[in-house]
Amino acid sequence: MAYVNPGSLMINPSGPGSAHHYSVVSNPPPHPSVMHADMPEYWVLPDGREVARLPRPLNYTPPMETFPPITFSVSGWPGVRIKDLKVDNPIIVDDPYATPMAHLGWRATVLNLEWPGYPRSTYNDPQIARFDVMTSQGPITRQGIALVVASAVRLLCNAKRNKPIATGFEQWSIKDGSIHPSDVVLLSIHYYRTQWIPELYLFE
């Protein structure tokens, strides 16, 4: 059974400004990615807005992961918006200087966005990003990993903007007036055999 976000039950409809809202923000729910269960279809942000999970193939769900995920949160609340992940932006994820990949002993690894509905390419696939685990400053940090995912999402959106998407996946189409990088929320990344797959949620 998917984890039910308690925030969806606790957030006051009046939103920010209410005492109830701030009591919820100060008591964030546990991160769903560490429950070793299927991710929830929807997630609620601290301001009460709801985001929907980007669909994943059945073999890319947390119970199938190779080892524990790398999670992202801000001020204790699971998830960080892609629009806030910029090199010159003061907003950083919690525990930003942790090096969660250092123990792996890898020089580099691969991120696969697995955005549904778009054909894959064997050459320069915009869904694939190879990045260094060992950088010139040392092992990549949690903040650095989040920036890698954000950059990959922006590049994919630029590459697929207004391109046709497979029938049945229209909800996830990247086009003008529809999905933009600012609509995407990153909760975690999970390793499945040879690559990292992010858990992404979108404003509908």
Side-chain angles (χ1 to χ4, degrees), residues 15-36:
S18 70
H20 190 69
H21 168 81
Y22 290 115
S23 71
V24 171
V25 172
S26 64
N27 294 281
H31 204 297
S33 296
V34 301
M35 309 295 281
H36 205 63

Side-chain angles (χ1 to χ4, degrees), residues 115-140:
W115 200 284
Y118 288 107
R120 307 307 298 270
S121 171
T122 56
Y123 180 73
N124 284 345
D125 190 335
Q127 301 232 33
I128 303 293
R130 183 177 175 85
F131 63 96
D132 291 335
V133 174
M134 291 301 299
T135 72
S136 58
Q137 289 79 40
I140 191 169

Side-chain angles (χ1 to χ4, degrees), residues 18-172:
S18 70
H20 190 69
H21 168 81
Y22 290 115
S23 71
V24 171
V25 172
S26 64
N27 294 281
H31 204 297
S33 296
V34 301
M35 309 295 281
H36 205 63
D38 292 342
M39 294 292 287
E41 290 187 27
Y42 296 91
W43 185 249
V44 176
L45 302 179
D47 60 9
R49 289 183 295 173
E50 192 173 70
V51 285
R53 182 180 183 239
L54 188 72
R56 292 279 175 252
L58 292 178
N59 56 322
Y60 292 146
T61 57
M64 305 292 291
E65 64 192 352
T66 305
F67 38 73
I70 297 171
T71 60
F72 304 95
S73 59
V74 176
S75 299
W77 197 278
V80 57
R81 293 187 66 177
I82 293 297
K83 77 177 186 66
D84 293 329
L85 290 170
K86 298 178 181 178
V87 174
D88 58 351
N89 195 319
I91 293 179
I92 58 176
V93 299
D94 295 339
D95 200 12
Y97 304 113
T99 54
M101 293 186 181
H103 69 287
L104 298 173
W106 300 344
R107 295 186 61 84
T109 190
V110 173
L111 174 77
N112 183 352
L113 294 181
E114 273 290 338
W115 200 284
Y118 288 107
R120 307 307 298 270
S121 171
T122 56
Y123 180 73
N124 284 345
D125 190 335
Q127 301 232 33
I128 303 293
R130 183 177 175 85
F131 63 96
D132 291 335
V133 174
M134 291 301 299
T135 72
S136 58
Q137 289 79 40
I140 191 169
T141 63
R142 187 186 308 273
Q143 179 74 10
I145 296 167
L147 290 172
V148 166
V149 178
S151 176
V153 170
R154 293 188 183 101
L155 287 173
L156 178 69
C157 286
N158 288 336
K160 297 299 183 182
R161 177 73 57 200
N162 296 323
K163 297 291 178 62
I165 195 168
T167 301
F169 293 96
E170 291 84 1
Q171 179 182 357
W172 313 108

Side-chain angles (χ1 to χ4, degrees), residues 1-25:
M1 172 181 282
Y3 171 75
V4 177
N5 177 8
S8 64
L9 303 176
M10 298 162 56
I11 289 285
N12 189 310
S14 60
S18 70
H20 190 69
H21 168 81
Y22 290 115
S23 71
V24 171
V25 172

